Amino acid sequence: MTPDARKRLLDGLGLVDWRMRPDRLAAAPTAPADHAPALREPAPPATDPQPDVAPAASSAGEPAAAATAPDHDTQTVAPNPSVDAPAPAAAQAPAEPAAPAQASDVSRMDWDELEAWLATRDHRGASRPVFGIGARDADVLIVGEAPGANEDAQGVPFVGRAGKLLDRMLFAIGCSRDTNVYITNICKFRPPNNRDPNADEVAADWPVLERQIELMDPKLVVAVGRVAAQTLLDSTQSLGKLRGTLHRYPRRELDVLVTYHPAFLLRSPGQKAKAWADLKQIARRIASA
Ligand code: URA
């Protein structure tokens, strides 16, 4: 890895290169400041006066739920509704001339139809849907869990403090939502009271994510956090067990890599070295795509 690439990677994670420690340099580089509030907090304050919350206790070196802003990295989520479901209609139907998409025929919608259809769905108490952002033709799809307060306010995924860290992590491996990744969530509406999405919510939004994956046809999905990982892989395994290996997305020629949720990393900076290892693996997989 070139020195520049190493520096970008470390900066992205907010880590300091050991070769540039203060005892070696007058001033060590620091990561850009975070100004947005923590992830999935009840309401978005204008600034975040709190430093990163101390890491929650972990029994197996894995993320544990924090008291006020759960990172959703320890419990089990509803199974991936696609696994037991019949294959998508498009895969089963005989080849026919394309007809205009019906209102609920999600599997035939284009991006704009899908986004417009999502907006007609029950918002489940959220202010607005958070459909996704980024390059729709990118090779890499980032999937988080669900919008938080900031995302609900802006209609854009990962815009809070955790989103800023996610952007820096992506930048470290040459990726950006402006150019070469698409970012979305398992759930498209903010769950009430910042709780984990429940099985009904996951199931309600699942067709939209599936269609996004079909339309995008990425080479790699990066699941950030336990909820995204367990849902996408239809697994009940812990995030600690799921990260570190390349998974195959059920029913598709598609690789899935799992990494920590940036909100968890903000609370548990000690885990950033593992996140860095994940990022390097993601970079290698992208390079080989
Ligand atoms: N956390 C997520 O999982 N998704 C968002 O969009 C924001 C925070």
Side-chain angles (χ1 to χ4, degrees):
M1 182 179 292
T2 64
D4 265 6
R6 178 182 175 81
K7 182 171 182 318
R8 279 200 306 160
L9 200 50
L10 290 165
D11 283 352
L13 285 166
L15 293 172
V16 176
D17 193 331
W18 66 271
R19 286 178 291 206
M20 303 178 78
R21 286 177 318 199
D23 55 333
R24 289 173 171 255
L25 281 185
T30 53
D34 293 303
H35 298 298
L39 174 78
R40 318 245 347 235
E41 69 279 57
T47 56
D48 179 14
Q50 277 212 323
D52 293 347
V53 182
S58 164
S59 58
E62 291 168 16
T68 52
D71 55 38
H72 315 292
D73 274 350
T74 52
Q75 296 146 17
T76 297
V77 293
N80 173 339
S82 79
V83 171
D84 297 325
Q92 294 175 336
E96 276 174 8
Q102 297 301 303
S104 59
D105 191 359
V106 170
S107 67
R108 301 176 72 182
M109 290 181 184
D110 66 21
W111 282 100
D112 291 341
E113 288 169 337
L114 190 64
E115 185 164 11
W117 181 77
L118 179 67
T120 68
R121 310 307 294 161
D122 178 6
H123 288 19
R124 306 190 300 256
S127 313
R128 70 200 82 242
V130 178
F131 182 67
I133 193 165
R136 292 173 172 178
D137 59 352
D139 283 344
V140 183
L141 171 64
I142 311 286
V143 181
E145 171 189 323
N150 293 289
E151 292 75 24
D152 182 61
Q154 297 185 38
V156 178
F158 282 102
V159 290
R161 194 162 167 244
K164 301 263 187 302
L165 177 57
L166 178 65
D167 283 343
R168 292 202 303 275
M169 291 163 69
L170 292 173
F171 178 74
I173 54 170
C175 291
S176 149
R177 64 175 80 192
D178 295 331
T179 55
N180 57 359
V181 299
Y182 190 80
I183 303 177
T184 190
N185 284 302
I186 296 285
C187 274
K188 312 301 189 190
F189 296 95
R190 182 190 186 203
N193 306 317
N194 282 338
R195 61 159 167 70
D196 275 7
N198 64 32
D200 288 346
E201 291 159 352
V202 170
D205 295 351
W206 183 258
V208 176
L209 179 60
E210 279 240 287
R211 185 63 185 151
Q212 286 176 311
I213 292 173
E214 267 173 13
L215 286 166
M216 196 181 156
D217 195 20
K219 303 275 187 305
L220 177 69
V221 173
V222 178
V224 294
R226 178 189 53 80
V227 170
Q230 290 181 339
T231 305
L232 285 167
L233 297 173
D234 188 35
S235 172
T236 54
Q237 286 197 299
S238 68
L239 186 120
K241 293 225 165 63
L242 290 172
R243 63 169 286 278
T245 45
L246 202 57
H247 300 270
R248 186 43 68 105
Y249 182 78
R251 288 211 333 262
R252 277 187 89 86
E253 291 283 306
L254 176 56
D255 289 336
V256 180
L257 271 167
V258 172
T259 190
Y260 293 114
H261 197 291
F264 170 74
L265 294 174
L266 288 172
R267 286 193 291 276
S268 307
Q271 303 297 321
K272 285 183 178 178
K274 288 190 200 161
W276 181 20
D278 295 343
L279 279 178
K280 286 194 292 185
Q281 193 183 6
I282 291 164
R284 280 195 300 275
R285 179 63 191 81
I286 293 171
S288 72

